[in-house]
Amino acid sequence: MATLPVISPRLFVRSSVLAACAIAALFLLQCSGGGDSPIFVKAPLPYAEDALAPFISADTMGFHYDKHYAGYVDRANDLTKSGSYAGKSAEAVIQMTAGDASKAAVFNNAAQAWNHAFFFQCLKPNGGGAPGGLLAEMIDAAFGSFANFKKVFLTAAKDQFGSGWVWLVLDDGKLMVITGANADTPLAHGQIPLLTVDVWEHAYYLDYQNRRIDFVSTVLDNLVNWDFVALQLENAPPSHT
Ligand SMILES: [Fe+2]
C-alpha cells in the first residue's frame, strides 16, 4: 500500500488490527452469527440512489451499489461458505487472507465488500467542505491546512495507477493519506480507516469519464460525510495527547 509522507505531530493512538476491527464493527455489522449465516451482509445504502446527484448520478450509484458492491458481497460469501472461514467476521477473513497469494480471490472479494460498505458511509447529500472539531485540528496539524490536505488527497488519487482507493487513515497516532491498489485496505495493514474515495473507474466513469480528479475533488467539496469520519476518529482506541 503506497504511503504519502504526511505526518501528524500529535500522538493520538497506537493503531492495531484489532482497533480497526473495533471501528469496523461500528458501521458494518458484517460479523457472522455463526452456523450457516453468510459472513458478508450487503449494508443498506444510507441514502437514496439519486440523493447524491448531480455529483454522483443515480445511474452510477445504482450500478455501483446494486451490481459492483453486491457482486463482491455475493462472491465473498460463495468463497467463504465452508472450511476455516466458518464463524469468522468479515474483518477476520480479510486479515487471515491478506498477503496470501493462494487466497487472493477470497481477500479481493472480502476486502472489496468491506471497502465499498465503508465508502458509501463516507458520503452524504450536502456534505463536503471542511470538518470541524478534533478532526479539523488533526488535519491542520498533519497537513498544515485543510486546503493542503485536499491537495495531498487529490495528488494521491491522481498518482494511483489503475484501480484502487485513496484513504485518510490513523496509523500509529499519525494522520496519513495513503493509496491502495485494487482491493487493498487499511485493515490489512493495521491502520484505522477514517475516509476513503473509490477510484476504480466504475465509481465515476459514467459521470466524469476519464476525469478522476474532478470526481474526487467533487466528492471532497460536496459529499464527504465528515460526521462519519469524525466518528471513526472518536471511537479509535484511547488517545494520548
Ligand atoms: Fe467501487
Side-chain angles (χ1 to χ4, degrees), residues 10-234:
R10 184 171 183 174
L11 284 177
F12 189 64
V13 299
R14 175 170 175 76
S15 64
S16 68
V17 171
L18 289 177
C21 288
I23 287 173
L26 291 174
F27 72 100
L28 282 183
L29 302 178
Q30 290 188 23
C31 297
S32 168
D36 295 328
S37 301
I39 294 173
F40 297 87
V41 176
K42 189 181 173 194
L45 196 63
Y47 35 75
E49 289 185 354
D50 63 356
L52 305 186
F55 308 115
I56 296 177
S57 68
D59 269 357
T60 291
M61 187 53 73
F63 279 109
H64 205 172
Y65 180 76
D66 291 322
K67 304 297 183 186
H68 293 279
Y69 171 49
Y72 294 128
V73 170
D74 291 346
R75 185 72 177 133
N77 281 326
D78 285 345
L79 291 168
T80 55
K81 274 181 180 168
S82 59
S84 58
Y85 304 111
K88 301 292 186 185
S89 68
E91 295 76 21
V93 170
I94 290 169
Q95 287 146 15
M96 65 196 286
T97 57
D100 185 341
S102 71
K103 296 182 172 63
V106 176
F107 174 81
N108 286 337
N109 285 281
Q112 281 294 83
W114 196 97
N115 289 348
H116 277 86
F118 192 91
F119 169 60
F120 294 135
Q121 292 283 343
C122 286
L123 308 178
K124 71 171 188 177
N126 302 311
L134 177 60
L135 186 57
E137 292 175 21
M138 291 188 70
I139 286 175
D140 285 347
F143 302 96
S145 66
F146 181 73
N148 198 52
F149 157 74
K150 281 178 58 180
K151 198 176 296 183
V152 170
F153 201 91
L154 291 173
T155 299
K158 178 168 66 78
D159 290 346
Q160 171 55 41
F161 184 78
S163 298
W165 300 81
V166 184
W167 302 85
L168 175 67
V169 301
L170 194 61
D171 184 342
D172 200 13
K174 301 166 185 173
L175 274 190
M176 304 174 79
V177 169
I178 62 172
T179 56
N182 300 317
D184 204 0
T185 177
L187 293 188
H189 303 276
Q191 297 163 315
I192 297 178
L194 303 179
L195 165 69
T196 193
V197 177
D198 186 344
V199 293
W200 284 59
E201 283 190 345
H202 66 230
Y204 60 86
Y205 207 85
L206 289 179
D207 298 329
Y208 296 85
Q209 292 76 53
N210 64 321
R211 294 177 287 112
R212 174 189 284 184
I213 301 310
D214 288 352
F215 163 66
V216 178
S217 179
T218 296
V219 168
L220 293 178
D221 289 343
N222 301 281
L223 297 177
V224 171
N225 183 348
W226 287 114
D227 291 337
F228 174 78
V229 178
L231 190 62
Q232 309 316 304
L233 185 60
E234 288 169 18

